[in-house]
Amino acid sequence: MAAPPRKRSGGGRTTSLRGDTSESDKLESTTSWDALEWTKIEVPSKFPSNSRPDSRYVSHVKFDFLLEAEQVIVEGYGVVLVNTDEAGTLIVTNFRLIFLSEGTRNIIALGTIPLTTIEKFSKMVMKAQSAPRQFDKTPSRRLLQVIGKDMRIIVFGFRPKTKQRRAVFDALLRCTKPASLWDLYAFTSGPSKFKNSNPKERLLIEYFRLLGEGSFRPSMSMIENGSFTFSNDLWRISSINSNYAMCQSYPFALIVPKGISDEEVLQASTFRARCRLPVVSWCHPRSGAVLARSSQPLVGLMMNMRSNTDEKLVAALCTQLASVRGARRKLYIADARPRKNALANGAMGGGSESSSNYFQSEIVFFGIDNIHAMRDSLARLRDYLDTYGATSSDGMSSFLRHGGWTWGGGNLSSMSASVSTLGDSGWLIHVQNVLAGSAWIAARVALESASVLVHCSDGWDRTTQLVSLASLLLDPYYRTFTGFQALVEKDWLGFGHPFSDRIGMPTVSGSGNVPYELTRQTSTGSFSTSPMRQPSGSFTSQGPSSTHAQTSNNYSPIFMQWIDCVSQLLRMYPSAFEFSMVFLVDFLDCLLSCRFGNFFCNSEKERQECGVSEACGCLWAYLADLRASEGSSHVHYNFFYDPVKHADALLPPAAALAPTLWPQFHLRWACPSEAQAGELEAQFRKMAVKFSELQKAKEVAERKAKEITTTMESLSAELRNEKQLSSLAMNQAKRASKENEAIKRAVQSLGCNVHFSTTGDCTVGIESNPTEIPQKFINSSSKRDGTLQNDEKSDLSVSITVARCWLCTAQ
């Protein structure tokens, strides 16, 4: 892939941030970026002629690309996007960082990122190499590195002596990490047209469906008076946690075995970490097998603590098999952690179950690493993509930018090193572990009709990944738009995945007299910045005082990893999902941007008490509105979707669970063309759109043909009527002709000459004495409007005008 074209200044000089030796030779006599005309700046008329445009100036110009309630805070002019060597204007708003191209004034997607999607940013200085004689005069280049949670690393370069970088940096400090939850853009913009329905009602709709009561529709009155406790033969909906007194991170309604009372549920909760007791997440509509979830048991340091009610509750998940009378189904207890980690938790009172204490059970460890390992793994993957992609953030070291198609300069060892670096990131291995664990769980439920209880330590990270992905494999409903929403809201939002902690947003916690203190994440975490590569210049950070590390120790891309797993399944089963890869990318972008409030806070309880659903817009409504704008041709729809073909569970074999990079998400910034090149779905979509257009044209042609056929049938009927009338007229004409002949003969028998003209006049000439004409003939002639005429020769001539029909004339 060829390197992106370099921006040219007004003077025609090619300028770049790259520190090539040839470039240094050309710029030997320069001393600053100002002298280089690094980028042409047009001073707005609102600035005095003797002043320099300063990014601290807040523009009041109305930009048509701003969203509702989006306000400009800082503008920086003459900024260069180092990744692509493109000059433009950098704008900080209360929602995002926007980079506008200097030439077209279009928004450049790579340099435009929502503020909450920024993981961290820092000031950097690059000391470029120069000729020996001007070593002391070479200026340092002022850079700002921005690292995104969406796999991009971008670097902006600023003109020296303008203080623009400082103004942008300070604005980012204030806006990317608000001290108050209500300072987020979602609260400023409000619900607008994307209003949110009540999340509790949506959760109950899904519960009713799982219990076979899908015809019921919940209401707020039902929720308020607690009358939502429906049940079937095996399971019931409990309201024991309706005020979140039992477990603050669980939803207000829980599905538990019908034979377990609320008192036993409350008692069993004390034996599990954070009171997250075993409850039903999904039940098979035919076999009665269930997926259940919980946190780790509090078995203690000696692993010998027990709870009778907990054991009774877990045993109740092993309902009788309908196929074999008296036999009870097997229970698998799936511990998502490595075995050694589970044992280590015993030091803090946790641990894992003993199969001897739980009826007909088997303990299985999946060996999935914790949130810290996932965070570090994603950081290494991001650095790998930035280093070996086509748009390196340092503008120099990407192998493809300067080498063209000669990968790594033709050095085979460089290729081998990059492949090992991808493997060393560990991300694909982690994804494979989650996929394999979920497929194993789904197979036990589908093939053995066994029930599975899943947990990790707290039961809200790895547990949620496994349970929700296994449900996606088992239930085709979850592979539709509405089902996917129900799955995410039930297992991720309802059961308390801590989105604020994992995404890095303000959290709500009890503190003294202030029940909901909004705290700021200040821990630096363990992310590293992009490698400091130095082929022709050197990057140096300006020290801790200038580096804003925004990542908390609780930040981790757990949900992003789960969406990655869904994308892998969509790749393996392209006709099993109603939604497309584009939908997954847009959904993840919306979540990271925090434009909507659905994923704020750490639990259902916190979102309810903060009034998020009433104060903020709804992500689901926004995505549904996008789809409604184009109908089934929208890019969110999967054109390969065939619900009949995949009407049952998806059970991928182990050999098929070999994940790859997700091009539409992982490569879209580092390798934008490769992220879309050869995409079968995009090609099929174009063909489908063309086919749709042809189909519409065919329908129009068929309608016109039908109209023409109807018209022809009508004309044929009229023609038949006209033929009938014509035939009747012909008969009348024949009769009239016969009558005329009879009259002619009668007149001639009287000695008169009869002449018929083409105009229908009949002239009768009489040569005898008029007195000899019979009187009755004269009377008969007068009845036909005849007239008698006398010429100069005294011969009697009679002219008779006979009124004849047009058919007679034609005859």
Side-chain angles (χ1 to χ4, degrees):
M1 175 180 176
R6 298 177 179 178
K7 250 338 208 193
R8 291 185 179 272
S9 66
R13 184 192 301 272
T14 301
T15 59
S16 172
L17 276 179
R18 302 171 187 165
D20 302 358
T21 304
S22 58
E23 193 77 10
S24 299
D25 295 340
K26 295 178 183 178
L27 307 179
E28 183 175 351
S29 60
T30 62
T31 58
S32 70
W33 280 352
D34 288 335
L36 288 175
E37 293 184 346
W38 184 41
T39 179
K40 183 179 179 181
I41 299 180
E42 297 181 359
V43 181
S45 58
K46 53 184 173 283
F47 289 105
S49 58
N50 59 349
S51 67
R52 181 187 299 274
D54 193 303
S55 62
R56 289 173 293 181
Y57 174 84
V58 179
S59 172
H60 298 285
V61 177
K62 179 64 177 178
F63 295 106
D64 56 4
F65 53 77
L66 295 180
L67 302 175
E68 182 180 1
E70 187 178 10
Q71 300 175 351
V72 175
I73 298 174
V74 165
E75 294 179 44
Y77 301 95
V79 180
V80 168
L81 179 60
V82 176
N83 303 64
T84 58
D85 293 341
E86 188 161 8
T89 301
L90 188 63
I91 300 174
V92 180
T93 73
N94 58 336
F95 172 59
R96 53 184 168 166
L97 189 67
I98 304 174
F99 185 75
L100 300 178
S101 171
E102 182 185 86
T104 63
R105 303 300 291 175
N106 292 332
I107 293 179
I108 305 301
L110 175 60
T112 300
I113 180 172
L115 299 179
T116 57
T117 308
I118 297 175
E119 182 182 303
K120 55 186 176 181
F121 55 91
S122 61
K123 296 178 182 178
M124 300 174 62
V125 176
M126 188 182 75
K127 187 73 173 179
Q129 294 180 351
S130 61
R133 56 183 171 181
Q134 58 173 164
F135 179 81
D136 297 331
K137 298 180 180 180
T138 303
S140 58
R141 302 179 180 181
R142 303 295 189 266
L143 306 176
L144 177 65
Q145 183 191 60
V146 177
I147 299 178
K149 302 169 186 175
D150 58 352
M151 305 303 295
R152 65 177 129 177
I153 300 177
I154 48 183
V155 173
F156 298 102
F158 295 83
R159 292 169 55 88
K161 303 177 182 179
T162 61
K163 300 182 180 179
Q164 293 190 101
R165 184 181 66 163
R166 178 185 300 176
V168 171
F169 183 85
D170 292 343
L172 292 179
L173 279 176
R174 296 192 307 269
C175 300
T176 57
K177 202 64 178 178
S180 170
L181 180 69
W182 292 275
D183 289 337
L184 291 172
Y185 170 76
F187 287 94
T188 304
S189 62
S192 185
K193 65 177 180 178
F194 308 116
K195 297 187 182 298
N196 201 346
S197 59
N198 191 283
K200 289 186 175 181
E201 293 183 12
R202 299 199 295 266
L203 180 63
L204 285 180
I205 290 174
E206 176 58 14
Y207 278 179
F208 292 167
R209 186 189 75 89
L210 291 174
L211 297 186
E213 303 290 346
S215 59
F216 288 95
R217 282 295 177 266
S219 62
M220 283 308 300
S221 59
M222 181 183 294
I223 295 173
E224 291 170 357
N225 59 31
S227 59
F228 55 82
T229 55
F230 285 83
S231 64
N232 59 18
D233 295 338
L234 299 176
W235 320 106
R236 68 182 180 90
I237 302 176
S238 172
S239 61
I240 186 65
N241 199 43
S242 59
N243 58 358
Y244 308 103
M246 181 186 70
C247 179
Q248 295 189 9
S249 58
Y250 263 11
F252 76 103
L254 303 170
I255 299 180
V256 296
K258 190 174 183 179
I260 303 297
S261 66
D262 282 347
E263 291 75 13
E264 290 173 317
V265 169
L266 185 60
Q267 186 176 358
S269 67
T270 61
F271 186 68
R272 295 281 170 167
R274 302 184 186 273
C275 297
R276 295 174 63 90
L277 76 158
V279 292
V280 175
S281 176
W282 182 83
C283 47
H284 199 287
R286 296 183 298 274
S287 69
V290 297
L291 286 176
R293 57 180 300 164
S294 70
S295 61
Q296 64 181 340
L298 302 178
V299 296
L301 182 62
M302 303 302 297
M303 306 286 288
N304 58 357
M305 300 293 293
R306 298 179 61 178
S307 168
N308 292 333
T309 52
D310 180 78
E311 293 172 10
K312 180 181 178 181
L313 175 59
V314 173
L317 301 175
C318 303
T319 56
Q320 290 187 355
L321 287 168
S323 58
V324 183
R325 178 174 298 181
R328 300 179 68 86
R329 68 184 75 250
K330 186 174 182 179
L331 173 71
Y332 290 96
I333 300 178
D335 195 325
R337 303 166 293 182
R339 183 188 294 271
K340 61 179 182 180
N341 291 21
L343 296 176
N345 272 273
M348 298 179 289
S352 189
E353 298 87 349
S354 172
S355 59
S356 60
N357 297 335
Y358 292 87
F359 175 79
Q360 205 165 332
S361 65
E362 180 180 341
I363 314 296
V364 180
F365 292 92
F366 285 168
I368 301 175
D369 287 321
N370 59 23
I371 61 173
H372 310 294
M374 303 305 173
R375 180 177 64 239
D376 296 340
S377 176
L378 185 67
R380 290 192 295 270
L381 175 62
R382 183 173 51 204
D383 284 342
Y384 164 79
L385 296 174
D386 182 61
T387 303
Y388 296 99
T391 56
S392 175
S393 64
D394 64 9
M396 295 175 295
S397 65
S398 172
F399 289 122
L400 290 177
R401 290 188 79 174
H402 292 292
W405 290 107
T406 58
W407 206 94
N411 189 344
L412 184 60
S413 62
S414 297
M415 180 185 294
S416 302
S418 71
V419 174
S420 63
T421 303
L422 174 61
D424 291 342
S425 72
W427 180 258
L428 297 181
I429 297 299
H430 295 315
V431 170
Q432 185 178 33
N433 288 341
V434 176
L435 282 171
S438 303
W440 186 91
I441 293 171
R444 302 287 74 74
V445 174
L447 302 179
E448 300 180 19
S449 295
S451 291
V452 183
L453 171 63
V454 185
H455 71 74
C456 50
S457 296
D458 294 323
W460 53 37
D461 289 312
R462 289 166 284 190
T463 298
T464 304
Q465 286 181 324
L466 292 170
V467 170
S468 56
L469 202 61
S471 300
L472 195 73
L473 290 169
L474 288 167
D475 196 337
Y477 171 69
Y478 292 139
R479 302 193 286 269
T480 65
F481 284 110
T482 55
F484 185 78
Q485 174 182 343
L487 177 65
V488 171
E489 292 198 310
K490 172 174 64 73
D491 277 311
W492 289 91
L493 293 171
F495 281 96
H497 176 68
F499 277 100
S500 283
D501 290 343
R502 298 298 179 260
I503 296 178
M505 282 292 98
T507 58
V508 180
S509 61
S511 176
N513 296 327
V514 183
Y516 306 108
E517 179 186 12
L518 298 167
T519 59
R520 181 181 303 215
Q521 305 289 351
T522 56
S523 177
T524 60
S526 56
F527 269 117
S528 61
T529 59
S530 183
M532 298 297 104
R533 300 172 286 269
Q534 306 177 26
S536 57
S538 60
F539 282 120
T540 59
S541 172
Q542 291 190 338
S545 62
S546 299
T547 301
H548 183 63
Q550 287 198 301
T551 309
S552 78
N553 197 44
N554 289 326
Y555 170 82
S556 187
I558 298 300
F559 187 76
M560 181 192 300
Q561 187 178 60
W562 181 75
I563 295 293
D564 195 343
C565 292
V566 176
S567 76
Q568 303 293 338
L569 293 177
L570 179 52
R571 176 182 57 83
M572 284 188 281
Y573 301 99
S575 59
F577 296 81
E578 185 182 15
F579 46 83
S580 66
M581 292 286 191
V582 179
F583 167 78
L584 294 178
V585 173
D586 288 350
F587 170 64
L588 200 52
D589 283 344
C590 286
L591 183 148
L592 295 175
S593 72
C594 293
R595 182 180 174 184
F596 307 99
N598 301 72
F599 296 87
F600 287 174
C601 305
N602 286 329
S603 66
E604 178 184 281
K605 173 179 181 290
E606 292 182 3
R607 282 186 291 274
Q608 177 182 323
E609 294 176 338
C610 291
V612 170
S613 61
E614 294 83 11
C616 303
C618 178
L619 178 149
W620 307 111
Y622 169 74
L623 294 176
D625 184 70
L626 288 180
R627 295 194 298 273
S629 63
E630 299 181 22
S632 59
S633 62
H634 193 271
V635 292
H636 285 179
Y637 284 93
N638 177 16
F639 281 110
F640 296 107
Y641 181 50
D642 185 358
V644 177
K645 180 180 178 181
H646 298 285
D648 212 338
L650 302 177
L651 301 176
L657 299 175
T660 63
L661 287 178
W662 179 11
Q664 292 88 343
F665 186 77
H666 291 145
L667 300 180
R668 60 175 169 163
W669 305 119
C671 308
S673 59
E674 283 73 15
Q676 302 298 330
E679 186 181 353
L680 182 61
E681 182 180 350
Q683 296 176 13
F684 182 80
R685 190 179 302 278
K686 292 179 181 178
M687 295 173 61
V689 171
K690 185 64 176 178
F691 177 79
S692 178
E693 293 173 353
L694 294 175
Q695 188 72 19
K696 291 179 180 178
K698 176 186 174 185
E699 292 174 357
V700 172
E702 288 177 345
R703 284 196 301 268
K704 289 183 178 180
K706 187 175 181 180
E707 292 174 358
I708 292 174
T709 302
T710 304
T711 303
M712 293 202 49
E713 290 176 353
S714 176
L715 292 175
S716 298
E718 293 178 0
L719 182 59
R720 286 192 297 270
N721 293 334
E722 290 294 335
K723 286 182 178 180
Q724 292 176 358
L725 292 174
S726 177
S727 177
L728 181 61
M730 292 291 291
N731 293 333
Q732 292 176 351
K734 289 180 181 179
R735 288 196 299 268
S737 179
K738 291 179 180 180
E739 291 176 358
N740 289 338
E741 290 294 331
I743 293 172
K744 181 177 179 181
R745 286 193 299 269
V747 172
Q748 289 176 348
S749 66
L750 297 175
C752 300
N753 295 324
V754 182
H755 302 281
F756 291 94
S757 67
T758 58
T759 60
D761 295 335
C762 176
T763 303
V764 181
I766 303 174
E767 298 179 354
S768 61
N769 193 333
T771 59
E772 297 178 0
I773 300 175
Q775 185 66 29
K776 62 179 182 179
F777 174 77
I778 298 173
N779 294 337
S780 175
S781 300
S782 64
K783 290 180 181 179
R784 290 179 172 82
D785 296 328
T787 59
L788 297 177
Q789 297 178 352
N790 190 7
D791 59 10
E792 295 178 354
K793 296 180 180 181
S794 299
D795 292 335
L796 179 63
S797 177
V798 181
S799 176
I800 303 176
T801 302
V802 182
R804 306 171 66 197
C805 66
W806 66 272
L807 286 172
C808 298
T809 304
Q811 187 67 22

